[in-house]
Amino acid sequence: MKVAKHLKPQTQMILEHLKSYGHITPVEAGAVYKVRSLSKRISEIKEAGHKIKTQLKADPCGQRYAYYSL
């Protein structure tokens, strides 16, 4: 059994968002939670033992972004 690591406040907010909504993107994280480095927060969540799926998607203009989900 993995012992849960204490998460930083921003990381905890992102994890709670994922639990509530099932997914998050960098734009959502920045706009809603003022998180500038979502990939770092996701890494911390993974290190704490949570399974996160990452998909690369593209918006209608072709801009690529990461889509993280539980």
Side-chain angles (χ1 to χ4, degrees), residues 14 17 23-39 59 63-68:
I14 296 302
H17 179 97
H23 59 84
I24 195 164
T25 66
V27 171
E28 289 174 308
V32 177
Y33 303 108
K34 307 297 186 237
V35 171
R36 298 181 127 239
S37 182
L38 181 58
S39 61
D59 68 15
Q63 180 68 37
R64 293 173 24 156
Y65 63 95
Y67 179 93
Y68 300 101

Side-chain angles (χ1 to χ4, degrees), residues 39-58:
S39 61
K40 178 63 176 166
R41 303 294 78 86
I42 294 295
S43 293
E44 292 168 352
I45 292 169
K46 287 179 178 179
E47 287 172 12
H50 299 276
K51 302 281 185 196
I52 305 290
K53 296 176 193 165
T54 304
Q55 289 180 282
L56 293 179
K57 294 189 171 194

